[in-house]
Amino acid sequence: MSTDHTSLQPLFDPRAVAVVGASDDPAKWGHWLGLRALRGAHRRRVHLVNRRVATVLGQPAHDSLGAVGEPVDLAVIAVPAAHLDAAVADAVAAGARMIVAITGSERDGDAGGALDAAIAARARTAGARLLGPNCLGVFDAAAELELVSNDLPAGSLGLVSQSGNLGLEIGAKVTAAGLGFSRFVSLGNQADIQAAELVDALAQDPATRIVAAYVEDFVDGRAFTAAAARAVAAGKPVLLLAIEHTEATARAVRSHTGALASDGAAIDAACRAAGIHRVRSPQELADTAEALLRAPRAAGRRVAVLADGGGHAGLAAGLAHAAGLEVPALEPELRARLRAVLPPAAAVANPIDLAGGGEQDVSCFGTVTRTLLESGDVDAVLLSGYFGGYAEYGLGAGELAAAEVMGAAVAATGRPLVVHSLHEEGPALAALRAAGVPSHAAIERTVSALAALTPHPFAATADAPAVRAATPLASTDYAAVRALLADGGVPFVAAETVAGADEAAAAAARLGYPVVVKALGLLHKSDAGGVVLDLGDESAVRQAAADLERRLAPPALSVERMAPLAGGVELIVGARWDPRFGPLVLVGLGGVFTEALRDVRVALAPVDRSGAEELLRGLRGAPLLLGARGRPPVDLAACADAVAALSRVAAAHPELAELEVNPLLAGPAGVLALDARAIAAA
Amino acid sequence: MSTDHTSLQPLFDPRAVAVVGASDDPAKWGHWLGLRALRGAHRRRVHLVNRRVATVLGQPAHDSLGAVGEPVDLAVIAVPAAHLDAAVADAVAAGARMIVAITGSERDGDAGGALDAAIAARARTAGARLLGPNCLGVFDAAAELELVSNDLPAGSLGLVSQSGNLGLEIGAKVTAAGLGFSRFVSLGNQADIQAAELVDALAQDPATRIVAAYVEDFVDGRAFTAAAARAVAAGKPVLLLAIEHTEATARAVRSHTGALASDGAAIDAACRAAGIHRVRSPQELADTAEALLRAPRAAGRRVAVLADGGGHAGLAAGLAHAAGLEVPALEPELRARLRAVLPPAAAVANPIDLAGGGEQDVSCFGTVTRTLLESGDVDAVLLSGYFGGYAEYGLGAGELAAAEVMGAAVAATGRPLVVHSLHEEGPALAALRAAGVPSHAAIERTVSALAALTPHPFAATADAPAVRAATPLASTDYAAVRALLADGGVPFVAAETVAGADEAAAAAARLGYPVVVKALGLLHKSDAGGVVLDLGDESAVRQAAADLERRLAPPALSVERMAPLAGGVELIVGARWDPRFGPLVLVGLGGVFTEALRDVRVALAPVDRSGAEELLRGLRGAPLLLGARGRPPVDLAACADAVAALSRVAAAHPELAELEVNPLLAGPAGVLALDARAIAAA
């Protein structure tokens, strides 16, 4: 399902605009907005509204929106906070289809929530939409619409930002990279228009080649994920800058499964599901956008590292390796071709060190780069070191010619070249940039840009998984949770719920020895001594049952077949509901290793078998499942099926805040859930 | 033991210098060197030597070093490679005490090794020292000595670099930070003078406040570590830029212990031992140096994050957390004081968001920063966002005044402030910089700089551990290795080496049942089915012994008391010799987890009990040892004693390339080594 983008069209290219609160005071928002709105006056009517003065910015001003005398598509409101509600009412009355509420910064926080809801309802009731309040405005380069406080660079990056200042910082950094915005939308408080809808609108904009977002509150995280997935599927990369809410998350969780998944994990899971590039800073956002806009994508992760010195060669190769790139040894045939054009001291195995070859003949940079790109033995070339500054040695013309050879090789092969130069700029670097070769003065930025050009380690799904609610579970007691999961396809050991030693003994006889007896009604049965394993006969069962009842006074007991623990791997499989992204499924090594090693993988639920298997294979402890040191591999398909089944059950039961099987015993011949629990949503 | 730095004094401040190969050709080293050498002509005699012309650079030239006619402390040689040996001979004959051999780049690689050794020997025999060959020269700002190819900035950073181009890049980056070099020494091939000696020389230089090094080959890694530790102890931070040699390491190892420790691990271990800051790139080196040179150190890791917007506040707090800094909730009393000077919408819990307070009253940046620094509730303040650009809003004077308040608060409290500004520069940022406040336009650089100001997580030892060789072990068979380790203090289970079922049965009777029988002579006994556990009576022992002999034809069997495995934690404790850093000790989780989880910590060997305990506590799986989820904690002191004992044995036996106890069974009442092996050095 895709949002109809025409509904937001007046936000980006209105036929008539009114600036409410337009001002001649150079310290006011109404001044900055009015000034920039008038720049589009050759394309649309621009009305300035001010209650007290007759002219603003040399134009006649209206004393109210109603006095404008023609329909206004878009009203941008920059009035004192106390007048916001009335200004929205006026805009609606004047027929505005789109309201951009700059006002709002004095009502930040909880106190503003009610007002936000009221003005959003007022707009929606009248068939209008509202951006903000408390936003920085909107910008569309192609439409020459500048309803923002600052000048912004024009280009092909679409940005949605929930922070004005971060939007300005990203603007400064993309400007430095020679890029700019196709559209910029400041989210503000998202009282009506939310991030997901804007991601759709940006993705559908022909002038936008990349969609970037800074989001603090995803509101409907699934809608955001789906919109991003649609953008990616349409060939427009999505970059996400998001904060790790570590402390807030820590306060929100109650049990150890939850403690291992942060909001950060939910965001990462959404990024994997949608194929989003997650970036950590405005600089990384700009560098990633630049790489994706300028350079071709790499088909794989094999990189040739080329430098004019052993130091740069080794450093770049090490950092590339640390970033998950491969720096493979080159084939003998390719080495021989490189050797033929380089001095004897050069290293040609990869990394390639010209070892003075550049100073002797600067054209070798071009020859070697072209040879590497054409070989097909690598997916990309990373050049690091002095290149870009050979003009200082009087070699400027040769260096420029080499840059042209390099750029032509990139174009001819469709394989990327990225450059780190210890020189900030120069003609050769400018020529490279123009030919689709990004360069940076810091090697870590070059490596990061190259990594962004390589295929995602996780394949994007076209859409986030759908979630359908089932009949809510009436009780979260052990038997009910167990039955729910078993019905959903999670295999459990045979068990009976009983009361007292007599019933326990009878159940054990039906199930067959050895058995386990559990005291129910405890969140962590094992920790409380509520599980007695490996009971081989009736008297042992009676004694265990009596002891549990005496010590723990449980509401009931569960008698279960003893599973063969030896040789199996204990997993923990859980699910929890994130307030923004909905159900998440978690897998990890079980038992005492869960907390000790924090080896957990998280995905949006539900996952199918292949998604579940990807999670399992992503564990650091995956070798234990796949057969480490001569151990037999576990039945990974059965394991994945159980994870997928639990994830489906969780996604269908929003009334369960948490759902967990711990342990899931995985062995060579299948899996068995040995315990389960759920926590009802508050 | 400290090297006598006077022996290198002529390298940095010679009384007379000769440039051999001085040239008028602006494309030649001899030109660049001669030009810069002459800049010091008011402090020392500078002789230019050229075989073919009478004048160079407008000065009379000598046709040989012998023709100079006076003793020359330092001869710098830039002649074609074929003439290098003769030029060194001439320098020695002319009485040079220090020879700087620029020449050499055409003899890179193995072919140059013999020549390097020959010229080094020639110099040492004559009582002279040699820098290089294949180096970029030497620079001393205080002595106005510039025997280098490029202009370098003067300052208080001492740099030793094994790469000329990386030296130039670091120079460019420290220049951009407003810093420079006290001394720069290019290492070249280290045929005579090595990195360790130069670290000592730099640390003992009064003008050098920080020592930085880029090293590819540590040659004597222990000497380097000891020199760095001396510098740190003398109050001069040491920064190390080093490459991760991942592939080379992978080729070099033979067994799984070794496979888990890379040269990178050895370098990290050396850094921990000496208190060295390891950096990953020239940019990080420059940023770290700037922070350490400008700002006071933080006493702890508690940081207040201050921003003029929620986006910058959250992003900075998240990145600070990821960098290992703490962003604690502030005390109510401090919050109240902040609340009193900020608008109602401001967040004051930490991170602190001024929420428009800066635009309303830019002086609040100063007030809030001072309040935070003075409180003592945090160790540092990180400011992120728009500050630095308020002049654009006409608030330049107020912003500058705020910067002065902030700088004064840093000086008064001795606590650091670091700044990220979305503006690259401006008067307020310049004033902050002058007052000891580093600023960067990328938040990740600011966070990294702040992290460098906080205490090292590992305490530095004053000196690297000493290594004393013992009598070499004659055999690496099981019994010999076991005895060696047991004598060294590693507790083993009782065992007897036997041949055949009869001897095995007799040994078992003496040891007491149950026992284990092992087939000796195998590298990985368990994987080959060479270990039979838990034999309870004589017939079981006889059967196991017979079966092992039939299947594996071992040279002998070992009969051992069966240790109580249940409830214990299996560790792997090993040691290996790094070619540069000598003995390393490794600890990790044992059994199948060793390879699956790669949870290993490494230190220079030997370690004492507290060093061993630090390694154990540093494991991700440390909670398993300390008592996770209700398990009893293991006897950590006994564990640490065993690790320390093995590390002492390893350090005393360079003839053993690898030494390993696997598993070391750790339980609540002590530890027991259950198996051991060693591999002789090749």
Side-chain angles (χ1 to χ4, degrees), chain B residues 362-384:
Chain B
V362 76
S363 77
C364 76
F365 284 100
T367 317
V368 170
T369 300
R370 187 176 55 202
T371 303
L372 290 167
L373 288 175
E374 285 177 349
S375 73
D377 288 2
V378 294
D379 303 301
V381 174
L382 191 168
L383 169 62
S384 175

Side-chain angles (χ1 to χ4, degrees), chain A residues 26-28 32, chain B residues 358-359 362 386 389-400:
Chain A
K28 289 203 164 158
W32 310 329
Chain B
E359 286 145 68
V362 76
Y386 203 86
Y390 282 98
E392 289 179 12
Y393 294 127
L395 302 172
E399 188 182 46
L400 192 57

Side-chain angles (χ1 to χ4, degrees), chain B residues 575-599:
Chain B
R576 68 176 183 85
W577 280 73
D578 181 87
R580 294 300 182 241
F581 287 92
L584 304 172
V585 58
L586 303 82
V587 302
L589 287 184
V592 293
F593 293 101
T594 308
E595 285 192 4
L597 300 175
R598 305 204 174 275
D599 184 15

Side-chain angles (χ1 to χ4, degrees), chain B residues 151-215:
Chain B
D151 289 344
L152 293 176
S156 51
L157 176 67
L159 175 66
V160 177
S161 177
Q162 204 174 349
S163 157
N165 276 354
L166 276 177
L168 295 181
E169 177 166 4
I170 292 166
K173 287 180 170 44
V174 300
T175 301
L179 308 174
F181 296 128
S182 49
R183 289 177 169 178
F184 165 75
V185 191
S186 171
L187 270 176
N189 298 356
Q190 302 187 80
D192 174 28
I193 299 173
Q194 297 172 0
E197 199 175 351
L198 290 168
V199 167
D200 270 327
L202 266 52
Q204 290 161 11
D205 169 33
T208 296
R209 291 178 53 207
I210 292 189
V211 178
Y214 168 73
V215 182

Side-chain angles (χ1 to χ4, degrees), chain B residues 277-301:
Chain B
H277 292 260
R278 185 165 181 187
V279 295
R280 294 169 309 125
S281 72
Q283 186 66 70
E284 188 184 345
L285 191 158
D287 290 348
T288 302
E290 185 195 5
L292 292 168
L293 283 170
R294 277 196 206 293
R297 306 294 174 86
R301 306 179 79 77

Side-chain angles (χ1 to χ4, degrees), chain A residues 32 105 108 150 163 165-166 168-169 173 214 216 241 243 246-247 256 280-284 308 310-312 314-315 319 321 327 345 386 393 420 422 441-444 524 527 589 592-593 595-597 599 620-621 623-624 629 631, chain B residues 32 105 108 150 163 165-166 168-169 173 214 216 241 243 246-247 256 280-284 308 310-312 314-315 319 321 327 345 386 393 420 422 441-444 524 527 589 592-593 595-597 599 620-621 623-624 629 631:
Chain A
W32 310 329
S105 63
D108 262 345
N150 296 60
S163 158
N165 275 353
L166 277 176
L168 295 180
E169 176 165 5
K173 288 180 169 45
Y214 168 74
E216 290 174 13
L241 178 61
I243 295 172
T246 49
E247 283 186 32
H256 60 77
R280 296 169 308 122
S281 72
Q283 186 67 69
E284 188 184 344
D308 43 354
H312 280 108
L315 206 59
L319 291 174
H321 181 270
V327 185
Y386 204 86
Y393 294 128
H420 157 245
L422 65 90
I443 178 63
E444 53 271 50
H524 292 294
D527 292 358
L589 286 184
V592 294
F593 293 101
E595 285 193 2
L597 301 175
D599 184 16
R620 285 198 308 267
L624 293 177
R629 299 284 313 273
R631 291 164 60 106
Chain B
W32 311 327
S105 63
D108 262 344
N150 296 60
S163 157
N165 276 354
L166 276 177
L168 295 181
E169 177 166 4
K173 287 180 170 44
Y214 168 73
E216 291 174 12
L241 178 61
I243 295 171
T246 50
E247 285 186 32
H256 60 77
R280 294 169 309 125
S281 72
Q283 186 66 70
E284 188 184 345
D308 42 354
H312 280 110
L315 206 61
L319 291 174
H321 181 270
V327 186
Y386 203 86
Y393 294 127
H420 157 244
L422 65 90
I443 179 62
E444 53 269 52
H524 291 294
D527 292 358
L589 287 184
V592 293
F593 293 101
E595 285 192 4
L597 300 175
D599 184 15
R620 284 198 308 267
L624 293 177
R629 299 285 313 273
R631 292 162 59 107

